[in-house]
Amino acid sequence: LPYRSGRWGVAAGDVAGKATAAALYGSLAIGILRGHVVAHPCEPAEMLELMNGYLRKPRIDNRFMALAFALYDPKSKVLTVANAGFPRPRLVRGGRVEEICVDGVPLGILPAIRYEDKKLALQVGDVVAFCSDGIHECMDKQEQEFGDARVEALLAELAGGSADEIAQGL
């Protein structure tokens, strides 16, 4: 999502539930996010707080959304990340993978939740991966979850590839 001053917003989310109801809730959240980026581009933590308030208004039972929202400033090479219940993003740097410790309550559950911004000074060649729990929980033929360790090992193996190669590799 284009932001002011050449910055870019990035969102990765997952709606609780399945089928039409979940798709509609996800569409509502995307519309709120896109509209707010145009009308009131703000830092990620503030954006999540605003979205939480909007998603609580319809009072839809058993609906919530996990969402990580980040802003990247290519001039300073700083990525600012906030998280509302989405799995922690991973930073891949120099072949090593580490969790970005940023957590929060999913959107639409509780009123007046506060979120925190985490700032990362990125370097040339760094990769930040946002993976939904659907990747971690995917089962293989032996009915074993793919899991965090395998996600991280694969990210380390794919380091240096393009974004498309990393996404396809996962």
Side-chain angles (χ1 to χ4, degrees):
L1 302 168
Y3 251 62
R4 291 185 191 145
S5 306
R7 298 186 303 167
W8 289 91
V10 177
D14 192 7
V15 177
K18 295 185 179 352
T20 304
L24 290 171
Y25 195 75
S27 294
L28 172 65
I30 291 167
I32 291 168
L33 179 63
R34 287 183 175 276
H36 231 290
V37 164
V38 171
H40 182 74
C42 54
E43 294 300 304
E46 183 182 351
M47 183 66 76
L48 293 181
E49 290 165 17
L50 291 166
M51 288 190 64
N52 184 59
Y54 285 122
L55 290 172
R56 285 193 41 79
K57 285 181 184 178
R59 305 249 188 255
I60 302 170
D61 290 337
N62 300 318
R63 290 285 163 226
F64 60 90
M65 177 178 208
L67 181 72
F69 187 65
L71 277 180
Y72 178 64
D73 184 343
K75 292 177 191 166
S76 65
K77 293 185 177 63
V78 170
L79 182 75
T80 305
V81 183
N83 192 358
F86 198 77
R88 288 178 173 171
R90 302 298 198 273
L91 171 64
V92 183
R93 176 179 285 162
R96 293 185 53 232
V97 181
E98 61 184 78
E99 275 187 336
I100 300 170
C101 295
V102 58
D103 298 306
V105 175
L107 303 173
I109 296 177
L110 299 172
I113 294 295
R114 304 290 301 185
Y115 296 94
E116 290 185 38
D117 285 325
K118 172 92 176 192
K119 293 190 180 289
L120 299 166
L122 297 181
Q123 301 170 6
V124 173
D126 283 353
V127 171
V128 178
F130 295 87
C131 299
S132 79
D133 60 5
I135 293 174
H136 302 270
E137 295 170 359
C138 186
M139 298 287 204
D140 64 15
K141 291 178 183 176
Q142 288 77 36
E143 304 256 344
Q144 294 181 356
E145 284 190 356
F146 195 67
D148 288 339
R150 288 168 70 185
V151 168
E152 289 184 4
L154 193 50
L155 284 171
E157 182 182 316
L158 296 167
S162 70
D164 189 53
E165 290 168 338
I166 293 168
Q168 293 303 316
L170 280 171

